[in-house]
Amino acid sequence: MLNLAFYLLDNGEDHYMNADVLWITDFLIPRTTEELMNKFKDYQKTGTKFYGFKIGQGEANWDKYFDKVYEIHYKQPRRY
C-alpha cells in the first residue's frame, strides 16, 4: 500500500506536489521499513498532506506520520 501511494506521487503524469493523501483503514497494519516510513516526512516537506480515516477501535501508532487522523468507532454486534 505504501509503495503504491508513493509510486503514484512520484510517477503519475503530474508528479504530484502539495497532494492530499487519504487512507481509509482500521490502521491495524504493521510498520514497514524505516526507509518507507521516512518517506512520509520527505513528502510532507514538499507540501503533501497525509490524512487518515480510522475505522474501529484499537491502537494504531501511525499518528506521528499523518497530519490528521479522524476516527469513527462502532460497537461490535452482540452474538447470542
Side-chain angles (χ1 to χ4, degrees):
M1 179 175 57
L2 280 173
N3 282 324
L4 180 58
F6 296 153
Y7 174 83
L8 292 172
L9 288 170
D10 287 336
N11 299 308
E13 291 179 17
D14 298 321
H15 295 279
Y16 294 103
M17 292 182 69
N18 302 320
D20 294 318
V21 178
L22 174 63
W23 284 18
I24 301 173
T25 179
D26 59 7
F27 279 95
L28 299 176
I29 44 182
R31 293 261 177 80
T32 182
T33 65
E34 194 64 31
E35 176 186 351
L36 282 176
M37 299 309 285
N38 286 332
K39 279 192 173 187
F40 275 96
K41 292 180 181 130
D42 293 339
Y43 285 107
Q44 287 169 329
K45 289 177 187 173
T46 67
T48 299
K49 302 281 186 191
F50 291 93
Y51 300 100
F53 189 79
K54 181 179 167 211
I55 300 172
Q57 298 179 16
E59 284 298 313
N61 298 325
W62 283 83
D63 291 348
K64 70 179 183 178
Y65 298 99
F66 285 79
D67 294 283
K68 177 75 176 166
V69 176
Y70 301 91
E71 296 184 25
I72 185 169
H73 301 280
Y74 62 91
K75 290 184 179 181
Q76 292 284 359
R78 285 182 57 167
R79 301 196 187 260
Y80 296 94

